[in-house]
Amino acid sequence: MSQRSCLSVILAAGEGTRMKSALPKVLHQIAGLPMVAHVVKAAEAAGAGDQALVIGHGADEMRKAATKFAPKAETFVQEKRLGTAHAVLAARDAISRGYDDVLVMFGDTPLIDPDALTVGRLKLAEGAGVVVIGFRTANPTGYGRLIEKGGKLVAIREEKDCSDEEKKITFCNGGLMAVAGSQALKLLEAVGNKNAKGEYYLTDIVEIASGQGLDVIATEASFENALGINNRAELAEAEGIWQRRRRRETMLSGVTLISPETVFFSHDTEIGADTVVEPNVWFGLGVKIATGAKIHAFSHIEGATVASNCDVGPFARLRPGADLKQKAKVGNFCEVKQAVIEEGAKVNHLTYIGDARVGAGANIGAGTITCNYDGYSKFFTDIGEGAFIGSNSSLVAPVTIGNGGYIASGSVITESVPDDALAFGRARQKTIPGKGKELRERFASAAAAKKK
Ligand code: UD1
Ligand code: MG
């Protein structure tokens, strides 16, 4: 099948007013990726080498977004929303180039399983003219019903055009179709708009094709393939399904999730085997975790790379550019941004490390802050191998702490410290014998005098 050429036409011209959003509906995200990008990915996974994106509302924004998630896709504007067949025809120039297979998909149906599309393409390869990917549901209201006769699909009837008898059919159109490229334009052009909505229905190509004696079939896929998003409640439902799928895949790939339903992934999260993820962890975009790491509870991680056997959290925040090498440790209430934590280094408690390098085996005491920002520019802090930073120190960047450098607790370090040097950046302590007792007595008698 791989030698068969394939175009996917993705319809994304819906206004989506029910999202109550300035953003076009299909750009709302699931797992950090616009829902229409999930559709593009599924099409690619099913072997669609070319993509045609039919857009309407928010065309400029859509084009701009598409350059990121589908740089190869061609965009076509459907000026007036006259129905799904009319929308597919907006991509006429692409379709008429001549493909073996044309897949029609909806941009607001993000949970499509590429396997369902592949089944559709296989049926085309076997000679079918039109393949409709259907699903069964106990509550078919609103969906087009698949009308079969003798094992063949003869029509799809939209809800509003159904007879009472047809409304009882529970086998429905999920909105995915595979059409023989050689027939696609001819079929689409034959569609009229004499129906309850006065729209050009894509679904009418079934009756047309069947009338022409083409082989028209329905395959069955799970309901999720048809889950269309119209509002933010449905968006959250789709997100939930996506997360459940990904958690399962992650666990089956060798990662322990102690409480899977509390862990959230992005579409591009990578986690190696034998890593353990404790409850309530968020993986934002661009996270790579290697094998054997421990991600403790309540950690928030995005744009970070974590090497094998690292220990992160509980309550750690790894921001973009955090790069933890093997066996590094970032503990509770620590934030790391744009910084390399070299092998075995420890950043254990209450610390901010930003725009920095922490050398191998260095120990960063509780409450250490790299002061990287003067309100205008960011500056770099370089901490050498095996350095020891005493608790509650501020390292005012740009500054370098040499290998084995030793910083006294509570220091404010503004000048670089050479290898193996000890640096104090604080006032020396003064101790006055007996003065504490004297003060206490003085304050006590002052308080007593006030009460009289
Ligand atoms: C459609 C199907 C129905 C199916 C259901 C599954 C048709 C006629 N009906 O109905 O059989 O059960 O999806 O969810 O196809 N669009 C455009 N331009 C248009 C019209 C629609 O781009 O002129 C896009 C929409 O943005 C959307 C998709 O096509 O992504 C489907 O349109 P929608 O109006 O939601 O169709 P349904 O009534 O849900
Ligand atoms: Mg719909």
Side-chain angles (χ1 to χ4, degrees):
M1 195 185 71
S2 54
Q3 61 269 31
R4 288 175 67 90
S5 62
C6 180
L7 169 77
S8 72
V9 180
I10 299 171
L11 306 190
E15 295 99 289
T17 50
R18 276 178 288 169
M19 295 299 269
K20 309 228 186 301
S21 175
L23 192 68
K25 176 170 80 169
V26 296
L27 293 184
H28 282 259
Q29 298 185 342
I30 307 257
L33 189 71
M35 57 174 116
V36 61
H38 286 267
V39 179
V40 171
K41 272 175 99 174
E44 283 171 349
D50 292 332
Q51 264 83 44
L53 208 55
V54 178
I55 57 179
H57 173 72
D60 289 341
E61 214 173 341
M62 282 290 300
R63 269 198 211 95
K64 206 167 142 221
T67 58
K68 281 198 205 125
F69 64 76
K72 290 188 312 188
E74 285 174 87
T75 48
F76 297 91
V77 176
Q78 185 196 21
E79 299 287 354
K80 276 194 190 145
R81 203 176 185 280
L82 299 180
T84 43
H86 180 260
V88 179
L89 276 173
R92 179 194 298 270
D93 289 352
I95 299 168
S96 62
R97 274 202 297 266
Y99 289 86
D100 295 317
D101 304 345
V102 174
L103 295 174
V104 181
M105 303 158 82
F106 295 164
D108 64 354
T109 308
L111 299 177
I112 296 163
D113 179 0
D115 290 349
L117 298 171
T118 302
V119 168
R121 291 195 63 202
L122 281 170
K123 299 283 176 200
L124 292 183
E126 288 166 15
V130 178
V131 185
V132 174
I133 297 154
F135 67 100
R136 290 190 195 273
T137 171
N139 182 15
T141 309
Y143 292 105
R145 310 298 205 283
L146 303 189
I147 319 263
E148 290 175 300
K149 261 195 202 126
K152 293 281 172 209
L153 186 64
V154 293
I156 302 180
R157 198 87 70 230
E158 291 305 301
E159 169 90 16
K160 284 194 173 163
D161 303 297
C162 277
S163 65
D164 287 346
E165 210 44 43
E166 286 167 341
K167 277 188 183 153
K168 289 183 194 148
I169 297 172
T170 54
F171 194 20
C172 296
N173 175 23
L176 295 175
M177 263 188 214
V179 186
S182 56
Q183 308 291 334
L185 279 183
K186 232 178 4 190
L187 293 171
L188 288 161
E189 279 163 355
V191 171
N193 65 349
K194 288 200 174 55
N195 50 54
K197 275 185 165 177
E199 284 188 3
Y200 294 87
Y201 288 160
L202 168 66
T203 43
D204 282 354
I205 70 168
V206 165
E207 203 162 350
I208 296 164
S210 159
Q212 291 178 1
L214 293 175
D215 193 19
V216 182
I217 40 184
T219 62
E220 192 179 332
S222 74
F223 168 70
E224 290 165 9
N225 285 286
L227 186 67
I229 310 303
N230 291 310
N231 58 45
R232 295 189 202 231
E234 286 165 357
L235 183 70
E237 194 186 325
E239 177 82 37
I241 294 169
W242 189 96
Q243 292 292 344
R244 275 197 292 283
R245 279 186 188 171
R246 176 52 67 91
R247 288 169 191 140
R248 193 176 153 74
E249 284 165 21
T250 303
M251 291 186 282
L252 295 182
S253 75
V255 176
T256 296
L257 305 180
I258 293 173
S259 177
E261 63 283 8
T262 67
V263 175
F264 294 84
F265 297 105
S266 287
H267 70 99
D268 59 353
T269 307
E270 290 174 25
I271 306 191
D274 286 329
T275 283
V276 176
V277 182
E278 289 183 359
N280 297 299
V281 173
W282 172 268
F283 294 100
L285 291 171
V287 175
K288 284 195 174 78
I289 313 267
T291 53
K294 280 212 164 60
I295 311 296
H296 298 282
F298 296 100
S299 292
H300 189 284
I301 302 175
E302 59 183 325
T305 304
V306 175
S308 55
N309 303 310
C310 283
D311 213 280
V312 174
F315 298 98
R317 180 167 186 214
L318 301 185
R319 289 174 51 202
D323 184 1
L324 279 53
K325 305 296 188 195
Q326 290 215 14
K327 294 187 185 166
K329 191 161 189 279
V330 173
N332 42 274
F333 307 109
C334 292
E335 174 178 342
V336 177
K337 184 219 75 168
Q338 201 62 50
V340 179
I341 312 295
E342 302 276 14
E343 187 168 342
K346 290 183 189 140
V347 182
N348 275 343
H349 337 265
L350 301 153
T351 286
Y352 172 65
I353 301 289
D355 302 302
R357 178 188 76 100
V358 176
N363 187 91
I364 308 295
T368 298
I369 305 288
T370 53
C371 310
N372 61 328
Y373 186 49
D374 61 6
Y376 298 93
S377 307
K378 302 279 169 68
F379 301 93
F380 192 75
T381 300
D382 192 58
I383 300 171
E385 201 176 311
F388 182 92
I389 312 296
S391 295
N392 200 31
S393 291
S394 303
L395 309 176
V396 183
V399 71
T400 296
I401 313 297
N403 293 335
Y406 201 107
I407 306 299
S409 297
S411 290
V412 177
I413 298 296
T414 55
E415 290 164 17
S416 289
V417 176
D419 290 357
D420 294 319
L422 168 67
F424 284 84
R426 54 165 149 96
R428 285 314 276 263
Q429 179 174 329
K430 192 172 172 188
T431 307
I432 309 169
K435 189 75 179 176
K437 189 172 179 222
E438 183 196 309
L439 270 184
R440 222 176 285 124
E441 285 164 0
R442 203 169 81 204
F443 295 157
S445 60
K450 246 191 193 169
K451 269 192 195 153
K452 273 185 192 163

